[in-house]
């Protein structure tokens, strides 16, 4: 068992685009990315739009495949996964997406949405699944009766709590979150981040947290990778990156953040 | 309760004075729903005033009321609004149209949606001059070029002939600002003008707005949900929640000595890159 839970070696992703009059252009969304996340740690990936951060996360989720390099999860090359191994991988690695409204089936009840992963993986009986959903809802701070509601009856923050519940119902080892709070009001964002932190600690999760928001990245990460135009420009511990950014782009990014902390620090 | 505003002592009237504004929505059943309740806002010449609130706080409706551009189901239930000496209350739609663009400009959140995709940038930026000042097309294009230059768009002579999709998000927002500046308005209403932009581009746009205030002496009403942006640009701040103003004050006072419980909660909830969880007092 290696200490690294997630390891990316020289990962690249080139998207091909066919042009109308024949020929094609290629676009490198991610280029030569090498990263490690130790067991139980959270890596924050920060970058502006088009930096390739979401593409990178989708590759770690094994939803799209790298065109070069390799990704190992818990010592296993995920490109080689087939059949039963892949199912085990899906159980071990769970996503949380930005927009919970579009990641739930609007016609299913919250209970059905949360029971689905258990059913797919053949866990428990109908009754025990129901019990597990109730316990889980309470764990993420929602009343158990929410199992009977539908997504449209929930606020954005409540939906994101359900998304967290769905991500942890299979007791995964890794959670990969893509901008999970950027659609939320700040007061709700603070609550959801707190829930994320708490869950991660209780379950000993390893995670990657993708965001364009540097302040949010600072709150949740142990280590940080700064991406720009498909490449990692700098990595380091959260303190190194924020207290002593080395790369010009990281410095520019931090300087550009409008921040009330500067006013508060002027006392 | 609040410290006096330096401007309040000047002889000039405020650029915009809103008093006890309430806005209600008609409902099919039951009484009208009050979404903005007794809101009073002053904006003095050359001031950048922030209205901050979360979704549903009524901040955007308040700004739309100033332009009399409320959605159909909404109506102004009470209150007065003055732009300088002129009351906006009894103005007809036609009279309002003369004011819009000429004296009040609106910079919306999503520039891509606000721009006409089939029209050259130059035509759109110069359009207010054709409509309000009777410029001919060539003359308006000429001015559009100067306006693009004033918002730091490079090579304005080629850019005026391009279409919105050829512009990046930040450049589209610059073009919207240029359009807003065409008639030298006294008041610019900026409704979340940087929310859709990346931070580095946002920083440039905020800098541009400050520059415009300094250069043109315009007042800016800045609507946002982002406390960081408020800290960066505003002189005076109103905090809104559930249609009411819960607190107002000078920028530093709002951040250093917030009075309202909600303002404190908002500050507490907003992550800062300068603070690490657990170290906040």
């Amino acid at each position: 068992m290696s200490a690294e839970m997630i390891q990316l070696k020289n990962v690249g992703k080139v998207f091909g685009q066919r042009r109308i009059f024949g020929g094609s252009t290629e676009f490198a969304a991610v280029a030569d990315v090498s990263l490690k996340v130790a067991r139980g740690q959270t890596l924050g990936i920060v970058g502006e739009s088009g930096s390739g951060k979401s593409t990178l996360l989708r590759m770690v989720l094994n939803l799209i495949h790298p065109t070069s390099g390799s990704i190992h999860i818990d010592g296993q090359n995920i490109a080689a996964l087939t059949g039963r191994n892949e199912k085990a991988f899906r159980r071990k690695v769970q996503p949380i997406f930005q927009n919970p409204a579009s990641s739930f089936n609007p016609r299913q009840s919250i209970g059905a949405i949360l029971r689905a992963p258990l059913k797919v993986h053949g866990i428990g009986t109908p009754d025990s699944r129901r019990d597990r959903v109730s316990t889980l809802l309470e764990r993420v701070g929602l009343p158990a009766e929410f199992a009977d509601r539908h997504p449209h009856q929930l606020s954005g923050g409540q939906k994101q709590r359900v998304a967290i519940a769905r991500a942890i119902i299979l007791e995964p080892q890794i959670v990969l979150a893509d901008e999970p709070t950027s659609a939320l009001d700040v007061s709700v964002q603070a609550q959801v981040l707190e829930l994320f932190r708490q869950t991660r600690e209780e379950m000993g999760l390893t995670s990657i947290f993708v965001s364009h928001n540097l302040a949010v990245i600072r709150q949740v990460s142990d280590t940080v990778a700064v991406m720009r135009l498909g490449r990692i420009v700098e990595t380091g511990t959260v303190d190194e990156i924020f207290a002593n950014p080395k790369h010009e782009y990281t410095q520019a990014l931090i300087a550009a953040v409008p921040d009330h902390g500067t006013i508060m620090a002027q006392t | 309760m609040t410290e006096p505003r330096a401007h309040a002592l000047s002889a000039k009237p405020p650029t915009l004075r809103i008093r006890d504004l309430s806005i209600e929505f008609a409902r099919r059943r039951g009484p009208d729903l009050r979404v903005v309740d007794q809101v009073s806002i002053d904006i003095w010449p050359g001031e950048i005033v922030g209205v901050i609130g979360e979704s549903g706080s009524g901040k955007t409706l308040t700004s739309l009321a100033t332009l009399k551009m409320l959605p159909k189901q909404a109506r102004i239930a009470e209150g007065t609004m003055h732009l300088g000496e002129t009351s906006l209350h009894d103005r007809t739609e036609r009279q309002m149209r003369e004011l819009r663009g000429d004296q009040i400009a609106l910079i919306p959140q999503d520039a891509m949606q606000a721009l006409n995709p089939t029209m050259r940038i130059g035509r759109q930026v110069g359009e207010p001059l054709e409509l309000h000042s009777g410029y001919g097309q060539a003359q308006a294009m000429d001015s559009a070029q100067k306006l693009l230059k004033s918002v730091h768009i490079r090579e304005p002579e080629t850019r005026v002939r391009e279409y919105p999709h050829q512009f990046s998000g930040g450049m589209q927002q610059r073009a919207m600002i240029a359009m807003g500046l065409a008639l030298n308005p006294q008041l610019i209403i900026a409704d979340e003008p940087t929310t859709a932009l990346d931070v580095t581009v946002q920083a440039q746009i905020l800098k541009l707005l400050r520059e415009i205030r300094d250069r043109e002496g315009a007042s800016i009403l800045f609507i946002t949900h982002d406390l960081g942006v408020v800290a960066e640009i505003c002189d005076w701040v109103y905090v809104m929640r559930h249609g009411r103003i819960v607190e107002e004050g000078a920028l530093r006072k709002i951040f250093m000595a917030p009075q309202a419980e909600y303002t404190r909660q908002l500050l507490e909830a907003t992550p800062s890159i300068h603070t690490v969880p657990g170290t906040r007092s």
Side-chain angles (χ1 to χ4, degrees):
Chain A
M1 202 168 80
S2 69
E4 309 302 344
M5 193 66 170
I6 304 171
Q7 187 161 24
L8 280 72
K9 274 189 207 147
N10 311 106
V11 171
K13 177 71 185 177
V14 176
F15 288 109
Q17 238 175 350
R18 250 185 228 151
R19 282 188 295 193
I20 309 172
F21 301 110
S24 64
T25 47
E26 290 192 330
F27 172 70
V30 173
D32 197 26
V33 167
S34 297
L35 282 173
K36 288 174 184 174
V37 190
R39 201 172 289 276
Q41 297 272 297
T42 295
L43 166 71
I45 299 180
V46 65
E48 297 192 287
S49 38
S51 61
K53 53 193 194 302
S54 292
T55 303
L56 190 67
L57 200 75
R58 290 163 65 86
M59 287 194 281
V60 182
L61 276 167
N62 211 6
L63 293 175
I64 55 174
H65 305 295
T67 40
S68 58
S70 65
I71 300 172
H72 285 77
I73 302 258
D74 206 5
Q76 213 171 15
N77 186 343
I78 62 170
L81 293 174
T82 48
R84 205 192 307 167
N85 282 339
E86 177 158 23
K87 204 165 173 187
F89 168 83
R90 296 263 166 247
R91 183 167 173 181
K92 189 152 77 179
V93 182
Q94 290 288 323
I96 302 172
F97 294 109
Q98 173 173 7
N99 189 348
S102 63
S103 54
F104 296 138
N105 182 342
R107 297 176 58 186
Q108 283 188 332
S109 68
I110 300 301
I113 288 167
L114 291 176
R115 284 193 299 273
L118 296 172
K119 262 178 160 168
V120 168
H121 289 273
I123 298 165
T125 61
D127 278 346
S128 75
R129 283 180 211 144
R130 233 167 265 280
D131 288 346
R132 193 145 161 191
V133 164
S134 311
T135 323
L136 196 62
L137 280 172
E138 278 167 8
R139 177 167 182 179
V140 297
L142 297 173
E145 300 87 73
F146 269 41
D148 299 325
R149 298 209 186 171
H150 284 78
H152 74 270
Q153 294 170 296
L154 272 56
S155 71
Q158 289 168 340
K159 273 184 244 182
Q160 218 46 316
R161 284 174 189 271
V162 174
I164 292 178
R166 179 169 65 177
I168 61 174
I169 198 161
L170 293 169
E171 295 177 353
Q173 295 171 32
I174 298 173
V175 169
L176 305 173
D178 191 1
E179 303 265 14
T181 61
S182 34
L184 306 175
D185 274 333
V186 279
S187 54
V188 182
Q189 165 174 284
Q191 294 161 13
V192 171
L193 286 179
E194 184 50 39
L195 175 65
F196 179 81
R197 271 205 296 260
Q198 195 188 325
T199 313
R200 186 184 64 189
E201 259 158 53
E202 283 168 12
M203 303 184 63
L205 294 170
T206 306
S207 58
I208 297 181
F209 194 106
V210 167
S211 178
H212 71 284
N213 187 328
L214 282 148
V216 168
I217 287 287
R218 173 149 213 189
Q219 309 290 304
V220 298
S221 314
D222 298 304
T223 55
V224 177
V226 182
M227 280 191 84
R228 187 192 192 192
L229 304 175
R231 290 174 188 275
I232 304 271
V233 300
E234 185 168 1
T235 54
T237 66
V238 69
D239 292 337
E240 282 165 6
I241 294 284
F242 284 94
N244 192 13
K246 299 260 184 322
H247 195 278
E248 215 174 276
Y249 178 67
T250 313
Q251 291 165 359
L253 205 58
I254 290 175
V257 176
D259 200 283
H260 60 287
T262 43
I263 294 189
M264 320 264 283
Q266 277 168 20
T267 31
Chain B
M1 190 185 75
T2 53
E3 54 197 279
R5 245 151 126 176
H7 302 272
L9 305 171
S10 78
K12 282 195 202 162
T15 312
L16 179 71
R17 165 160 284 177
I18 301 176
R19 278 290 168 275
D20 303 316
L21 175 72
S22 296
I23 300 172
E24 289 177 352
F25 269 91
R27 281 191 294 192
R28 233 179 252 160
R29 257 172 261 151
D32 289 355
L33 182 70
R34 185 164 278 215
V35 286
V36 170
D37 193 16
Q38 303 253 319
V39 162
S40 296
I41 290 174
D42 282 334
I43 302 173
W44 296 86
E47 222 180 13
I48 302 182
V49 169
V51 175
I52 183 164
E54 297 189 286
S55 35
S57 61
K59 55 191 192 301
T60 294
L61 280 175
T62 303
S63 71
L64 289 178
T66 313
L67 289 158
K68 290 220 174 160
M69 278 167 52
L70 288 173
K72 273 206 185 79
Q73 314 86 321
R75 62 179 186 91
I76 296 174
E78 56 175 327
T80 58
M81 294 180 291
H82 283 84
L83 188 71
E85 309 277 4
T86 5
S87 164
L88 298 179
H89 198 69
D90 314 310
R91 290 230 148 194
T92 61
E93 174 56 25
R94 200 191 155 135
Q95 288 170 318
M96 279 311 293
R97 225 177 288 155
E98 279 164 18
L99 277 185
R100 292 184 202 130
D102 194 42
Q103 297 185 42
I104 313 177
L106 176 71
I107 302 170
Q109 175 174 153
D110 189 346
M112 187 64 190
Q113 240 172 52
L115 289 164
N116 182 338
T118 68
M119 225 169 129
R120 292 180 201 277
I121 292 283
R123 279 298 307 279
Q124 300 189 58
V125 171
E127 201 178 26
L129 291 164
E130 288 184 46
L131 295 177
H132 288 266
S133 312
Y135 278 35
Q137 240 188 69
Q139 208 182 352
M141 266 300 217
D142 233 34
S143 303
Q145 196 175 314
K146 288 189 194 113
L147 286 163
L148 289 184
K149 198 173 168 204
S150 78
V151 295
H152 309 305
I153 286 181
R154 263 179 248 165
E155 299 175 25
E157 57 289 349
T158 27
R159 290 298 190 174
V160 280
R161 282 193 297 278
E162 292 187 346
Y163 290 92
H165 75 270
Q166 293 170 286
F167 275 41
S168 68
M171 278 169 55
Q172 288 172 1
Q173 198 54 284
R174 282 172 195 273
M176 283 306 298
I177 294 172
M179 197 188 306
L181 292 179
L183 302 168
N184 270 322
Q186 317 162 28
L187 176 66
I188 297 170
I189 297 176
D191 189 357
E192 304 259 14
T194 61
T195 306
L197 304 174
D198 276 331
V199 278
T200 49
V201 182
Q202 166 170 282
Q204 294 162 13
I205 296 290
L206 293 178
K207 188 170 161 231
L208 174 64
L209 287 172
R210 272 196 304 262
E211 184 191 314
I212 284 164
R213 184 267 303 267
D214 296 343
R215 193 175 64 202
E216 324 277 344
S219 311
I220 301 177
L221 173 60
F222 201 101
I223 314 280
T224 182
H225 69 282
D226 188 334
L227 274 168
V229 171
V230 166
E232 204 74 14
I233 193 167
C234 297
D235 304 310
W236 193 267
V237 183
Y238 293 86
V239 183
M240 276 190 85
R241 186 192 200 192
H242 300 330
R244 295 212 176 116
I245 287 176
V246 297
E247 178 163 11
E248 69 164 299
L251 179 68
R252 287 183 59 86
K253 190 202 138 244
I254 292 286
F255 285 92
M256 304 302 299
Q259 300 298 305
E261 180 58 29
Y262 177 67
T263 312
R264 278 198 286 271
Q265 283 169 9
L266 211 54
L267 279 166
E268 182 73 18
T270 308
S272 160
I273 57 165
H274 299 290
T275 49
V276 183
T279 62
R280 218 177 301 203
S281 55

